Amino acid sequence: MNYRYLDSPIGDLLLAGEDQGLVYIGFPRGKGKVSPGADWRLKADCFKDASMQLGEYFNGTRLKFDLLLAPHGTPFQLEVLQALTRIPYGQTCTYQDIAVGIGRAKAVRAVGAANGRNPLPIVIPCHRVIGANGSLTGFGGGLETKRFLLELESRYSQA
């Protein structure tokens, strides 16, 4: 697997994957921190498109990503990840909304678990999922990072 680091307003993000697409985006801290495997190869020039699009996102000029992605997971997890991609920029929804949207209204906890295992945060916008009471809930990069991303999108979606 190839990887590189991308400087961002939330710290150095680890981008990792292969020719078939981006597999991981790792935060610099929190439970979403990803460390390179022993057999991973540091290639500073890989994932140029992902780096460019993430830069545009943080600058407020990109509202939707167009990248080759290769997330891993169970069929259910991949279904949840696909549902996350349909949450519009600058908007939020609840775990219940996602569960209902995929036709599994009683699977709220499973949706939460799948959301928490998202290997490609930001690009697959799990930060847009909030608690039923409107509160910010757990996030791989920490709640401070989640708040930052939601505020960034709120600012640019109203511009």
Side-chain angles (χ1 to χ4, degrees), residues 49-57 62 64-67:
D49 201 31
S51 298
M52 179 191 70
Q53 289 188 35
L54 282 161
E56 292 168 349
Y57 170 81
R62 177 164 293 274
K64 187 172 180 158
F65 292 95
D66 182 21
L67 295 169

Side-chain angles (χ1 to χ4, degrees), residues 133-150:
N133 64 1
S135 66
L136 296 187
T137 55
F139 185 64
L143 291 182
E144 181 179 310
T145 298
K146 184 171 188 165
R147 186 173 294 108
F148 174 88
L149 296 172
L150 291 173

Side-chain angles (χ1 to χ4, degrees), residues 22-35:
L22 200 58
V23 176
Y24 296 110
I25 296 176
F27 291 109
R29 61 196 153 280
K31 70 177 185 144
K33 181 177 180 170
V34 176
S35 298

Side-chain angles (χ1 to χ4, degrees), residues 42-111:
L42 178 61
K43 293 180 80 174
D45 64 341
C46 65
F47 308 116
K48 288 180 182 177
D49 201 31
S51 298
M52 179 191 70
Q53 289 188 35
L54 282 161
E56 292 168 349
Y57 170 81
F58 286 116
N59 289 329
T61 58
R62 177 164 293 274
L63 308 183
K64 187 172 180 158
F65 292 95
D66 182 21
L67 295 169
L68 186 59
L69 304 177
H72 299 279
T74 67
F76 177 79
Q77 289 168 337
L78 295 174
E79 184 178 17
V80 170
L81 295 180
Q82 185 60 42
L84 295 175
T85 67
R86 294 189 291 272
I87 306 170
Y89 181 94
Q91 295 184 29
T92 58
C93 69
T94 66
Y95 298 101
Q96 180 70 49
D97 294 333
I98 297 292
V100 169
I102 63 170
R104 298 174 186 232
K106 295 183 180 182
V108 176
R109 287 183 187 265
V111 164

